[in-house]
Amino acid sequence: MGRIWSISTFEIARVYQKPSSYILMFMMPLIFTFLFAGVGGNNAATSFKIALVDQDKTAISQELVKKMGQEEWLDIKLMERSEAEKQLSNKSISGMITIPSGFAGQLFNGKKPEVAFRHGPDLSIAGSIRQMIDNAMAQESIKIKAAYLVNPNSTGADLTASYQSMSAALGTNLITVDAKNISKGSSLDRSNNQSERLVGFVILFLMITLTIVTGKILEARKIGVWYRLLSTPSSRFNIMGGYMLSFLIIGWLQMAILMTASHFIFGTVWGNLLAQFCLVSALLLCAIGLGLMVAGFVKTAEQQMLMGIIIISPTCMLGGVYWPIELVPDFMQKMALFVPQYWAMEGFKTVMTHGGTLLDVLGSIGILLGFAAVFMAVGISRVRYE
């Protein structure tokens, strides 16, 4: 273990000797976050025009339409799907909410139907609108449960009539969204926007950093460091273990400093620390594995850096790092399932936006570790020691 630690500390010192390392690891993610999210415009309330498409056209969906239409901080208009898609494409509206066919039936069966919300990347209050949709649906679920309690054996029209009675009795304000100051761009919405952009830039620069750093293996072999190490009592396991430990420590130092800095500069709330620790560790192992895999197919550190950027940039685009994944076509959303950045973004959003815990992100962590295992197996098998 002593030899592994010695090799690790030597490589860490070599990385941090270069001033460019500090710029790439720490300054660039924070600068990009400030430029693209920190100074994002505060939209006026009149610009929040949202189309509402009711494809179900039942008493329950109409009640949901009525509830959403009462939100004073939004300008919601009922439209046909074709018109809504046209206006969204022309940017005449800020977003489009779609109540799907079969919505009422799913609610009656105790299921949570998917109410789609599409919007542009610059809509700062997207999180509040999603919260409003969730709250309105929860309210309708309460009414349906109340209808079942009053008339447990009712079905079809009888159940709908009972539901309508519950709606009249309970009213439409069981759950509300506090939209105070939202027309001026609330700090909560700006924080959510900054957090998502920050996470994206952190993932981007973290993967680039670790891909470049893993190129130290090629550099060490080129200048003869590995030959000298192999002439000592250090085994190949010690050498690889030392490099792997150095990569992991460098990645965690970068992540810890960015998390701390973003908290004090942007007010970013990172959520459950245990979940974040496990998620970040899985992401680091995945990024290190990708770097090792690239190193196994190139001959120089310069080629490693170029090839790494060529791979990382488009997969970050595909994985939802630069913009919300919901904005891309369905076939691209399916393709995103095969890149690790997508699962990293999903995990971070679960913890930071929805207050998720370790149990909530185990799926994302497991998939990231799966990517890491494949990348490392390919990379280590191709590493040439001599």
Side-chain angles (χ1 to χ4, degrees), residues 241-299:
Y243 277 97
M244 290 289 293
L245 181 59
S246 69
F247 301 152
L248 196 59
I249 292 174
I250 289 169
W252 251 117
L253 281 173
Q254 179 181 2
M255 195 67 192
I257 292 173
L258 286 176
M259 290 174 74
T260 303
S262 65
H263 174 72
F264 289 103
I265 296 173
F266 301 117
T268 304
V269 178
W270 288 90
N272 187 281
L273 292 181
L274 178 60
Q276 288 288 17
F277 175 82
C278 296
L279 184 62
V280 170
S281 297
L283 174 61
L284 292 178
L285 290 173
C286 183
I288 293 169
L290 178 61
L292 289 174
M293 185 175 72
V294 174
F297 289 90
V298 297
K299 295 181 179 180

Short mmCIF file of all heavy atoms in Angstrom, two decimals, residues 241-299:
data_model
loop_
_atom_site.label_atom_id
_atom_site.label_comp_id
_atom_site.label_asym_id
_atom_site.label_seq_id
_atom_site.Cartn_x
_atom_site.Cartn_y
_atom_site.Cartn_z
N GLY A 241 -2.41 0.57 -9.48
CA GLY A 241 -3.16 1.01 -8.31
C GLY A 241 -2.81 2.43 -7.91
O GLY A 241 -3.68 3.22 -7.53
N GLY A 242 -1.52 2.79 -8.01
CA GLY A 242 -1.10 4.15 -7.69
C GLY A 242 -1.70 5.17 -8.63
O GLY A 242 -2.17 6.24 -8.21
N TYR A 243 -1.69 4.84 -9.93
CA TYR A 243 -2.29 5.76 -10.91
C TYR A 243 -3.80 5.88 -10.70
O TYR A 243 -4.36 6.98 -10.75
CB TYR A 243 -1.97 5.29 -12.33
CG TYR A 243 -0.62 5.74 -12.82
CD1 TYR A 243 0.48 4.90 -12.73
CD2 TYR A 243 -0.44 7.00 -13.36
CE1 TYR A 243 1.73 5.31 -13.18
CE2 TYR A 243 0.81 7.42 -13.81
CZ TYR A 243 1.89 6.57 -13.70
OH TYR A 243 3.13 6.99 -14.13
N MET A 244 -4.47 4.76 -10.48
CA MET A 244 -5.91 4.79 -10.28
C MET A 244 -6.28 5.62 -9.05
O MET A 244 -7.23 6.42 -9.07
CB MET A 244 -6.44 3.36 -10.12
CG MET A 244 -6.40 2.53 -11.39
SD MET A 244 -7.62 3.09 -12.60
CE MET A 244 -9.12 2.65 -11.76
N LEU A 245 -5.53 5.45 -7.98
CA LEU A 245 -5.80 6.22 -6.76
C LEU A 245 -5.57 7.71 -7.00
O LEU A 245 -6.36 8.54 -6.53
CB LEU A 245 -4.91 5.73 -5.62
CG LEU A 245 -5.10 6.43 -4.26
CD1 LEU A 245 -6.53 6.28 -3.76
CD2 LEU A 245 -4.11 5.88 -3.23
N SER A 246 -4.53 8.04 -7.74
CA SER A 246 -4.28 9.46 -8.03
C SER A 246 -5.41 10.07 -8.85
O SER A 246 -5.85 11.19 -8.59
CB SER A 246 -2.95 9.62 -8.77
OG SER A 246 -3.01 9.10 -10.08
N PHE A 247 -5.90 9.32 -9.85
CA PHE A 247 -7.00 9.82 -10.67
C PHE A 247 -8.25 10.07 -9.81
O PHE A 247 -8.95 11.07 -9.96
CB PHE A 247 -7.34 8.84 -11.79
CG PHE A 247 -6.20 8.54 -12.71
CD1 PHE A 247 -6.12 7.32 -13.38
CD2 PHE A 247 -5.19 9.47 -12.92
CE1 PHE A 247 -5.07 7.04 -14.24
CE2 PHE A 247 -4.13 9.20 -13.78
CZ PHE A 247 -4.07 7.97 -14.43
N LEU A 248 -8.53 9.13 -8.91
CA LEU A 248 -9.71 9.24 -8.06
C LEU A 248 -9.60 10.43 -7.11
O LEU A 248 -10.57 11.18 -6.92
CB LEU A 248 -9.90 7.95 -7.27
CG LEU A 248 -11.27 7.71 -6.62
CD1 LEU A 248 -12.37 7.70 -7.67
CD2 LEU A 248 -11.27 6.39 -5.86
N ILE A 249 -8.43 10.63 -6.54
CA ILE A 249 -8.24 11.76 -5.62
C ILE A 249 -8.33 13.09 -6.36
O ILE A 249 -8.96 14.04 -5.88
CB ILE A 249 -6.87 11.64 -4.90
CG1 ILE A 249 -6.89 10.45 -3.94
CG2 ILE A 249 -6.55 12.93 -4.13
CD1 ILE A 249 -5.55 10.16 -3.29
N ILE A 250 -7.74 13.16 -7.55
CA ILE A 250 -7.81 14.39 -8.35
C ILE A 250 -9.26 14.72 -8.69
O ILE A 250 -9.71 15.87 -8.58
CB ILE A 250 -6.97 14.24 -9.63
CG1 ILE A 250 -5.47 14.25 -9.28
CG2 ILE A 250 -7.29 15.35 -10.63
CD1 ILE A 250 -4.58 13.83 -10.44
N GLY A 251 -10.01 13.70 -9.10
CA GLY A 251 -11.43 13.91 -9.42
C GLY A 251 -12.22 14.37 -8.22
O GLY A 251 -13.05 15.29 -8.32
N TRP A 252 -11.98 13.75 -7.07
CA TRP A 252 -12.74 14.13 -5.87
C TRP A 252 -12.34 15.51 -5.37
O TRP A 252 -13.19 16.27 -4.88
CB TRP A 252 -12.56 13.09 -4.76
CG TRP A 252 -13.79 12.29 -4.55
CD1 TRP A 252 -13.96 10.95 -4.73
CD2 TRP A 252 -15.08 12.79 -4.15
NE1 TRP A 252 -15.26 10.59 -4.46
CE2 TRP A 252 -15.97 11.70 -4.11
CE3 TRP A 252 -15.58 14.06 -3.84
CZ2 TRP A 252 -17.31 11.83 -3.75
CZ3 TRP A 252 -16.91 14.20 -3.51
CH2 TRP A 252 -17.76 13.09 -3.46
N LEU A 253 -11.07 15.89 -5.49
CA LEU A 253 -10.66 17.25 -5.11
C LEU A 253 -11.37 18.28 -5.99
O LEU A 253 -11.87 19.30 -5.49
CB LEU A 253 -9.14 17.40 -5.26
CG LEU A 253 -8.28 16.81 -4.14
CD1 LEU A 253 -6.80 16.89 -4.52
CD2 LEU A 253 -8.52 17.56 -2.83
N GLN A 254 -11.42 18.01 -7.29
CA GLN A 254 -12.10 18.91 -8.20
C GLN A 254 -13.59 19.02 -7.84
O GLN A 254 -14.14 20.13 -7.75
CB GLN A 254 -11.96 18.42 -9.65
CG GLN A 254 -12.67 19.31 -10.66
CD GLN A 254 -12.52 18.80 -12.08
OE1 GLN A 254 -11.93 17.75 -12.32
NE2 GLN A 254 -13.07 19.53 -13.04
N MET A 255 -14.23 17.90 -7.60
CA MET A 255 -15.65 17.90 -7.30
C MET A 255 -15.94 18.58 -5.97
O MET A 255 -16.89 19.37 -5.86
CB MET A 255 -16.16 16.45 -7.28
CG MET A 255 -17.67 16.34 -7.33
SD MET A 255 -18.30 16.90 -8.92
CE MET A 255 -20.06 17.00 -8.55
N ALA A 256 -15.13 18.29 -4.94
CA ALA A 256 -15.38 18.87 -3.62
C ALA A 256 -15.22 20.39 -3.64
O ALA A 256 -16.04 21.12 -3.05
CB ALA A 256 -14.42 18.26 -2.61
N ILE A 257 -14.21 20.87 -4.34
CA ILE A 257 -13.99 22.32 -4.41
C ILE A 257 -15.12 23.00 -5.20
O ILE A 257 -15.62 24.07 -4.82
CB ILE A 257 -12.62 22.63 -5.03
CG1 ILE A 257 -11.51 22.18 -4.06
CG2 ILE A 257 -12.47 24.10 -5.36
CD1 ILE A 257 -10.11 22.28 -4.62
N LEU A 258 -15.55 22.37 -6.30
CA LEU A 258 -16.64 22.95 -7.09
C LEU A 258 -17.96 22.95 -6.31
O LEU A 258 -18.73 23.91 -6.38
CB LEU A 258 -16.80 22.17 -8.40
CG LEU A 258 -15.73 22.41 -9.47
CD1 LEU A 258 -15.96 21.50 -10.66
CD2 LEU A 258 -15.72 23.86 -9.91
N MET A 259 -18.22 21.88 -5.58
CA MET A 259 -19.45 21.83 -4.78
C MET A 259 -19.44 22.90 -3.70
O MET A 259 -20.45 23.59 -3.48
CB MET A 259 -19.59 20.43 -4.15
CG MET A 259 -19.90 19.33 -5.14
SD MET A 259 -19.88 17.67 -4.41
CE MET A 259 -21.43 17.71 -3.49
N THR A 260 -18.30 23.09 -3.04
CA THR A 260 -18.20 24.10 -1.99
C THR A 260 -18.31 25.50 -2.57
O THR A 260 -19.05 26.35 -2.06
CB THR A 260 -16.86 23.95 -1.23
OG1 THR A 260 -16.77 22.63 -0.70
CG2 THR A 260 -16.78 24.96 -0.10
N ALA A 261 -17.57 25.76 -3.67
CA ALA A 261 -17.59 27.08 -4.29
C ALA A 261 -18.98 27.43 -4.81
O ALA A 261 -19.46 28.56 -4.61
CB ALA A 261 -16.56 27.14 -5.42
N SER A 262 -19.64 26.48 -5.46
CA SER A 262 -20.97 26.76 -6.01
C SER A 262 -21.99 27.02 -4.91
O SER A 262 -22.93 27.80 -5.10
CB SER A 262 -21.42 25.59 -6.89
OG SER A 262 -21.60 24.42 -6.11
N HIS A 263 -21.80 26.38 -3.77
CA HIS A 263 -22.72 26.61 -2.65
C HIS A 263 -22.64 28.05 -2.17
O HIS A 263 -23.66 28.70 -1.90
CB HIS A 263 -22.40 25.65 -1.51
CG HIS A 263 -23.20 25.90 -0.26
ND1 HIS A 263 -24.55 25.59 -0.17
CD2 HIS A 263 -22.86 26.46 0.93
CE1 HIS A 263 -25.00 25.93 1.02
NE2 HIS A 263 -24.00 26.47 1.71
N PHE A 264 -21.43 28.58 -2.07
CA PHE A 264 -21.25 29.94 -1.56
C PHE A 264 -21.44 31.01 -2.63
O PHE A 264 -21.89 32.12 -2.34
CB PHE A 264 -19.87 30.09 -0.92
CG PHE A 264 -19.72 29.36 0.39
CD1 PHE A 264 -19.04 28.16 0.46
CD2 PHE A 264 -20.31 29.86 1.55
CE1 PHE A 264 -18.92 27.48 1.67
CE2 PHE A 264 -20.20 29.19 2.76
CZ PHE A 264 -19.50 28.00 2.82
N ILE A 265 -21.13 30.68 -3.88
CA ILE A 265 -21.26 31.68 -4.96
C ILE A 265 -22.68 31.73 -5.50
O ILE A 265 -23.27 32.81 -5.67
CB ILE A 265 -20.27 31.36 -6.11
CG1 ILE A 265 -18.83 31.48 -5.61
CG2 ILE A 265 -20.50 32.32 -7.29
CD1 ILE A 265 -17.79 31.03 -6.62
N PHE A 266 -23.27 30.56 -5.79
CA PHE A 266 -24.58 30.50 -6.43
C PHE A 266 -25.69 30.05 -5.49
O PHE A 266 -26.86 30.02 -5.88
CB PHE A 266 -24.55 29.56 -7.64
CG PHE A 266 -23.55 29.94 -8.69
CD1 PHE A 266 -22.49 29.11 -9.01
CD2 PHE A 266 -23.67 31.15 -9.36
CE1 PHE A 266 -21.57 29.46 -9.97
CE2 PHE A 266 -22.75 31.50 -10.34
CZ PHE A 266 -21.70 30.66 -10.64
N GLY A 267 -25.34 29.64 -4.27
CA GLY A 267 -26.35 29.13 -3.35
C GLY A 267 -26.86 27.76 -3.72
O GLY A 267 -27.98 27.39 -3.37
N THR A 268 -26.05 26.98 -4.44
CA THR A 268 -26.47 25.65 -4.89
C THR A 268 -26.67 24.72 -3.70
O THR A 268 -25.84 24.65 -2.81
CB THR A 268 -25.41 25.04 -5.83
OG1 THR A 268 -25.18 25.94 -6.91
CG2 THR A 268 -25.86 23.70 -6.36
N VAL A 269 -27.79 24.02 -3.69
CA VAL A 269 -28.08 23.04 -2.66
C VAL A 269 -27.87 21.65 -3.27
O VAL A 269 -28.60 21.24 -4.16
CB VAL A 269 -29.52 23.18 -2.13
CG1 VAL A 269 -29.81 22.11 -1.08
CG2 VAL A 269 -29.73 24.57 -1.54
N TRP A 270 -26.88 20.92 -2.79
CA TRP A 270 -26.50 19.65 -3.39
C TRP A 270 -27.30 18.48 -2.84
O TRP A 270 -27.23 17.37 -3.38
CB TRP A 270 -25.01 19.40 -3.21
CG TRP A 270 -24.19 20.29 -4.07
CD1 TRP A 270 -23.70 21.53 -3.76
CD2 TRP A 270 -23.79 20.05 -5.43
NE1 TRP A 270 -23.02 22.06 -4.84
CE2 TRP A 270 -23.04 21.17 -5.86
CE3 TRP A 270 -23.96 18.98 -6.31
CZ2 TRP A 270 -22.51 21.26 -7.15
CZ3 TRP A 270 -23.41 19.06 -7.58
CH2 TRP A 270 -22.70 20.19 -7.99
N GLY A 271 -28.05 18.67 -1.78
CA GLY A 271 -28.92 17.60 -1.28
C GLY A 271 -28.21 16.60 -0.41
O GLY A 271 -27.18 16.89 0.21
N ASN A 272 -28.76 15.41 -0.35
CA ASN A 272 -28.27 14.34 0.52
C ASN A 272 -26.81 14.02 0.23
O ASN A 272 -26.44 13.62 -0.87
CB ASN A 272 -29.14 13.09 0.30
CG ASN A 272 -28.81 11.98 1.27
OD1 ASN A 272 -27.83 11.27 1.10
ND2 ASN A 272 -29.64 11.83 2.29
N LEU A 273 -25.94 14.19 1.25
CA LEU A 273 -24.51 14.05 1.06
C LEU A 273 -24.09 12.60 0.77
O LEU A 273 -23.20 12.35 -0.03
CB LEU A 273 -23.75 14.57 2.29
CG LEU A 273 -23.84 16.09 2.52
CD1 LEU A 273 -23.04 16.48 3.75
CD2 LEU A 273 -23.33 16.85 1.30
N LEU A 274 -24.73 11.64 1.44
CA LEU A 274 -24.39 10.24 1.19
C LEU A 274 -24.72 9.86 -0.24
O LEU A 274 -23.93 9.20 -0.93
CB LEU A 274 -25.13 9.34 2.17
CG LEU A 274 -24.91 7.82 1.99
CD1 LEU A 274 -23.44 7.48 2.14
CD2 LEU A 274 -25.78 7.03 2.96
N ALA A 275 -25.90 10.28 -0.71
CA ALA A 275 -26.28 9.99 -2.10
C ALA A 275 -25.31 10.65 -3.07
O ALA A 275 -24.90 10.04 -4.07
CB ALA A 275 -27.72 10.47 -2.35
N GLN A 276 -24.93 11.90 -2.77
CA GLN A 276 -24.00 12.60 -3.64
C GLN A 276 -22.62 11.93 -3.65
O GLN A 276 -21.98 11.82 -4.70
CB GLN A 276 -23.86 14.07 -3.20
CG GLN A 276 -25.06 14.94 -3.50
CD GLN A 276 -25.23 15.24 -4.98
OE1 GLN A 276 -24.65 14.58 -5.84
NE2 GLN A 276 -26.04 16.23 -5.29
N PHE A 277 -22.16 11.49 -2.48
CA PHE A 277 -20.85 10.84 -2.40
C PHE A 277 -20.82 9.59 -3.27
O PHE A 277 -19.87 9.38 -4.05
CB PHE A 277 -20.53 10.48 -0.95
CG PHE A 277 -19.25 9.70 -0.79
CD1 PHE A 277 -18.03 10.36 -0.77
CD2 PHE A 277 -19.26 8.32 -0.69
CE1 PHE A 277 -16.83 9.64 -0.65
CE2 PHE A 277 -18.08 7.60 -0.56
CZ PHE A 277 -16.87 8.27 -0.54
N CYS A 278 -21.82 8.77 -3.16
CA CYS A 278 -21.86 7.52 -3.93
C CYS A 278 -22.04 7.81 -5.42
O CYS A 278 -21.41 7.17 -6.28
CB CYS A 278 -22.98 6.62 -3.43
SG CYS A 278 -22.77 6.06 -1.73
N LEU A 279 -22.87 8.79 -5.75
CA LEU A 279 -23.12 9.14 -7.15
C LEU A 279 -21.86 9.71 -7.80
O LEU A 279 -21.49 9.32 -8.91
CB LEU A 279 -24.27 10.15 -7.24
CG LEU A 279 -24.75 10.56 -8.64
CD1 LEU A 279 -25.29 9.35 -9.39
CD2 LEU A 279 -25.83 11.63 -8.52
N VAL A 280 -21.19 10.63 -7.09
CA VAL A 280 -19.98 11.24 -7.63
C VAL A 280 -18.88 10.18 -7.77
O VAL A 280 -18.15 10.16 -8.77
CB VAL A 280 -19.50 12.39 -6.72
CG1 VAL A 280 -18.11 12.86 -7.14
CG2 VAL A 280 -20.48 13.55 -6.79
N SER A 281 -18.74 9.30 -6.79
CA SER A 281 -17.72 8.25 -6.87
C SER A 281 -17.95 7.35 -8.08
O SER A 281 -17.00 6.99 -8.80
CB SER A 281 -17.73 7.40 -5.59
OG SER A 281 -17.39 8.19 -4.46
N ALA A 282 -19.21 6.99 -8.34
CA ALA A 282 -19.52 6.17 -9.51
C ALA A 282 -19.21 6.92 -10.79
O ALA A 282 -18.67 6.34 -11.76
CB ALA A 282 -21.00 5.76 -9.47
N LEU A 283 -19.51 8.22 -10.83
CA LEU A 283 -19.21 9.03 -12.01
C LEU A 283 -17.70 9.13 -12.23
O LEU A 283 -17.23 9.04 -13.38
CB LEU A 283 -19.81 10.43 -11.85
CG LEU A 283 -19.47 11.45 -12.95
CD1 LEU A 283 -19.98 10.98 -14.30
CD2 LEU A 283 -20.05 12.83 -12.60
N LEU A 284 -16.94 9.31 -11.16
CA LEU A 284 -15.48 9.39 -11.27
C LEU A 284 -14.90 8.09 -11.83
O LEU A 284 -14.04 8.10 -12.71
CB LEU A 284 -14.86 9.70 -9.91
CG LEU A 284 -15.14 11.09 -9.32
CD1 LEU A 284 -14.50 11.22 -7.95
CD2 LEU A 284 -14.63 12.18 -10.24
N LEU A 285 -15.36 6.97 -11.31
CA LEU A 285 -14.87 5.68 -11.80
C LEU A 285 -15.21 5.49 -13.28
O LEU A 285 -14.41 4.95 -14.05
CB LEU A 285 -15.47 4.54 -10.97
CG LEU A 285 -14.96 4.43 -9.53
CD1 LEU A 285 -15.76 3.38 -8.76
CD2 LEU A 285 -13.47 4.08 -9.50
N CYS A 286 -16.38 5.96 -13.66
CA CYS A 286 -16.79 5.86 -15.06
C CYS A 286 -15.90 6.72 -15.94
O CYS A 286 -15.45 6.29 -17.01
CB CYS A 286 -18.26 6.29 -15.18
SG CYS A 286 -18.92 6.12 -16.84
N ALA A 287 -15.64 7.97 -15.50
CA ALA A 287 -14.79 8.88 -16.28
C ALA A 287 -13.36 8.36 -16.36
O ALA A 287 -12.72 8.44 -17.42
CB ALA A 287 -14.82 10.27 -15.66
N ILE A 288 -12.83 7.82 -15.25
CA ILE A 288 -11.49 7.24 -15.25
C ILE A 288 -11.43 6.04 -16.20
O ILE A 288 -10.48 5.88 -16.98
CB ILE A 288 -11.08 6.82 -13.82
CG1 ILE A 288 -10.92 8.07 -12.95
CG2 ILE A 288 -9.80 6.01 -13.84
CD1 ILE A 288 -10.77 7.75 -11.46
N GLY A 289 -12.46 5.20 -16.15
CA GLY A 289 -12.51 4.05 -17.04
C GLY A 289 -12.53 4.46 -18.50
O GLY A 289 -11.85 3.86 -19.34
N LEU A 290 -13.29 5.52 -18.81
CA LEU A 290 -13.33 6.02 -20.19
C LEU A 290 -11.95 6.51 -20.62
O LEU A 290 -11.50 6.22 -21.74
CB LEU A 290 -14.36 7.15 -20.30
CG LEU A 290 -14.48 7.81 -21.67
CD1 LEU A 290 -14.92 6.81 -22.73
CD2 LEU A 290 -15.46 8.99 -21.61
N GLY A 291 -11.27 7.25 -19.71
CA GLY A 291 -9.93 7.72 -20.04
C GLY A 291 -8.95 6.59 -20.27
O GLY A 291 -8.14 6.64 -21.21
N LEU A 292 -9.03 5.56 -19.44
CA LEU A 292 -8.14 4.40 -19.62
C LEU A 292 -8.43 3.68 -20.93
O LEU A 292 -7.51 3.19 -21.61
CB LEU A 292 -8.30 3.44 -18.44
CG LEU A 292 -7.73 3.91 -17.09
CD1 LEU A 292 -8.09 2.90 -16.00
CD2 LEU A 292 -6.22 4.08 -17.18
N MET A 293 -9.71 3.59 -21.27
CA MET A 293 -10.06 2.92 -22.52
C MET A 293 -9.51 3.68 -23.72
O MET A 293 -8.96 3.08 -24.65
CB MET A 293 -11.58 2.78 -22.64
CG MET A 293 -12.02 1.99 -23.86
SD MET A 293 -13.80 1.71 -23.93
CE MET A 293 -14.38 3.36 -24.33
N VAL A 294 -9.64 5.01 -23.68
CA VAL A 294 -9.09 5.83 -24.77
C VAL A 294 -7.58 5.66 -24.83
O VAL A 294 -6.98 5.53 -25.90
CB VAL A 294 -9.48 7.30 -24.59
CG1 VAL A 294 -8.78 8.18 -25.64
CG2 VAL A 294 -10.99 7.48 -24.69
N ALA A 295 -6.93 5.66 -23.64
CA ALA A 295 -5.47 5.51 -23.58
C ALA A 295 -5.01 4.19 -24.18
O ALA A 295 -3.88 4.10 -24.69
CB ALA A 295 -5.00 5.61 -22.13
N GLY A 296 -5.86 3.19 -24.14
CA GLY A 296 -5.49 1.90 -24.69
C GLY A 296 -5.49 1.85 -26.20
O GLY A 296 -4.97 0.90 -26.79
N PHE A 297 -6.06 2.90 -26.85
CA PHE A 297 -6.17 2.88 -28.31
C PHE A 297 -5.33 3.97 -28.99
O PHE A 297 -5.34 4.07 -30.22
CB PHE A 297 -7.63 3.04 -28.73
CG PHE A 297 -8.47 1.83 -28.45
CD1 PHE A 297 -9.14 1.69 -27.24
CD2 PHE A 297 -8.59 0.81 -29.39
CE1 PHE A 297 -9.92 0.57 -26.97
CE2 PHE A 297 -9.36 -0.31 -29.13
CZ PHE A 297 -10.04 -0.43 -27.91
N VAL A 298 -4.66 4.81 -28.21
CA VAL A 298 -3.83 5.87 -28.79
C VAL A 298 -2.39 5.69 -28.31
O VAL A 298 -2.11 4.90 -27.41
CB VAL A 298 -4.37 7.27 -28.41
CG1 VAL A 298 -5.76 7.48 -28.97
CG2 VAL A 298 -4.37 7.46 -26.89
N LYS A 299 -1.49 6.49 -28.88
CA LYS A 299 -0.07 6.32 -28.58
C LYS A 299 0.52 7.47 -27.78
O LYS A 299 1.55 7.30 -27.12
CB LYS A 299 0.71 6.13 -29.88
CG LYS A 299 0.34 4.86 -30.63
CD LYS A 299 1.17 4.72 -31.90
CE LYS A 299 0.82 3.43 -32.63
NZ LYS A 299 1.61 3.26 -33.89
#
